Amino acid sequence: SKWENIKDYQDILFERMGKVAKITINRPEKRNAFTPVTVQEMIDAFNYCRDDASIGAIILTGQGDLAFCSGGDQSVRGNGGYVGPDHIARLNVLDLQHLIRIIPKPVIAMVRGWSVGGGNILQLVCDLTIAADNAKFMQTGPKVGSFDAGYGSAYLARVIGHKRAKEVWFLCKPYSADEAFQMGWINKVVPLADVEKETLAWCDEILKKSPTAIRFIKAAMNADTDGIAGLQQIAGDSTMLFYTSDEGKEGRDAFLEKRDPDFDKYPKFP
Ligand code: 1HA
């Protein structure tokens, strides 16, 4: 393949092809269930993507054809969370969900096979989802003694509607890729063999567009959903743009030069 390795990890693969980065959960023997280590590695890789200006889009996927991700690894679930080598019980996938939401670049889930539990919420919080025709979507929390009442419930209800979101969680049944598409849960279903080609084609289309425009659209939708935390995101983007303006720089320069700022010369657009 033309994918180039970016960095070695224990539980994930982290590669790039041109401006597209790909993060692959690599525990296929467990249907790509995640542990605190898997999640911490994904957080590290997403932060790398956030800082690297040459990366414009990020694909999140799972190794193999059988699963995207089966959620938290139940064999390391301890008292109050999932336990890693530091023996601390964590729900650090919530930090990862938040990071996927705030990273100012498009994140596309590429789903083959099962997308289950906390894994299915990772798919949900990605900006777009391209699924293979063998994909299956399911929440299991109420069966296995868990629930995601955050993005997993409230945001799911925004995406697929309240009646359907309650059905998904109350019945814990699997949904086919076509059913998920009908619900507006995912963006496109393609034959298994074409899923990476299709996902890369979507990335290429997005990469031709203005990254600043894409960044503000993502932040605006977050702001509507995330309250003041969402406003913080789009407000931060506004501050970033203001810092690049002459008016913004005049305030800084006046302070450093110990004089009054002169803002009169800057345009006041209607
Ligand atoms: O709800 C949360 C959270 C909520 C708030 C905050 C944080 C959260 C973090 C996480 C989660 C959750 O993810 S709870 C939901 C946990 N996940 C599940 O309940 C899914 C469990 N797995 C399955 O239902 C099925 O395995 C499957 C539908 C994904 C695949 O079925 P399949 O193809 O029949 O394969 P299967 O034989 O079941 O699985 C293959 C191997 O992978 C099995 O191991 P083996 O018998 O070969 O030794 C199986 O045990 C293992 N495996 C699959 N999923 C998991 C797993 N092992 C540990 N944890 C898993 N999640």
Side-chain angles (χ1 to χ4, degrees), residues 29-31 70-74 82 114 116 118 140 144 146-147:
E29 68 288 349
K30 292 235 181 188
R31 299 294 185 268
S70 62
D73 187 327
Q74 297 304 298
Y82 299 84
W114 283 107
V116 180
T140 63
V144 301
S146 183
F147 56 86

Side-chain angles (χ1 to χ4, degrees), residues 115-153:
S115 175
V116 180
N120 199 27
I121 306 309
L122 290 179
Q123 173 275 123
L124 174 73
V125 299
C126 289
D127 299 304
L128 298 164
T129 298
I130 310 295
D133 52 9
N134 78 336
K136 289 187 284 290
F137 302 84
M138 179 167 70
Q139 295 306 139
T140 63
K143 273 203 292 197
V144 301
S146 183
F147 56 86
D148 183 335
Y151 284 112
S153 298

Side-chain angles (χ1 to χ4, degrees), residues 253-264:
D253 292 348
F255 174 81
L256 292 175
E257 292 162 17
K258 301 188 188 303
R259 60 173 172 82
D260 287 335
D262 175 10
F263 292 120
D264 283 344

Side-chain angles (χ1 to χ4, degrees), residues 64-129:
D65 294 344
L66 296 180
F68 170 73
C69 177
S70 62
D73 187 327
Q74 297 304 298
S75 70
V76 301
R77 184 170 147 187
N79 188 25
Y82 299 84
V83 182
D86 61 5
H87 306 295
I88 297 171
R90 297 173 188 283
L91 299 172
N92 61 342
V93 77
L94 300 177
D95 298 339
L96 175 60
Q97 293 174 6
H98 183 242
L99 180 56
I100 292 171
R101 295 273 301 170
I102 68 166
I103 192 167
K105 300 178 184 184
V107 182
I108 305 185
M110 181 169 84
V111 177
R112 293 172 288 223
W114 283 107
S115 175
V116 180
N120 199 27
I121 306 309
L122 290 179
Q123 173 275 123
L124 174 73
V125 299
C126 289
D127 299 304
L128 298 164
T129 298

